[in-house]
Amino acid sequence: GNQTINKAAGRVNIAAAGTSITVTNSLVTANSIVLAVAATNDSTARVTNVVPAAGSFTINTVATTAETAFNFLVVS
């Protein structure tokens, strides 16, 4: 589910068949650049986009076939 991680980099998990996860992060603003990548060998797991907001960001993905980890990096 949604998580709070107040670090510039980290890893979050999304449940099987999930399509998004929101991370509360005090380092993020609406103008932040946040990079995310699937940390799995599952070819169905890929990030479609990352949407920053004041104090959080949302990683959107295609529906995964299993629980999947995503690494993120807050650039600015």
Side-chain angles (χ1 to χ4, degrees):
N2 297 338
Q3 298 181 29
T4 299
I5 303 174
N6 291 311
K7 296 180 181 179
R11 177 178 280 190
V12 293
N13 289 341
I14 189 169
T19 57
S20 70
I21 185 167
T22 299
V23 179
T24 300
N25 187 313
S26 61
L27 303 176
V28 178
T29 70
N31 296 320
S32 290
I33 297 170
V34 181
L35 305 174
V37 63
T40 181
N41 291 330
D42 182 351
S43 62
T44 64
R46 61 183 160 81
V47 175
T48 55
N49 67 358
V50 180
V51 181
S56 68
F57 62 91
T58 300
I59 299 172
N60 295 303
T61 180
V62 296
T64 58
T65 57
E67 181 176 338
T68 303
F70 289 89
N71 293 329
F72 71 84
L73 173 66
V74 179
V75 178
S76 63

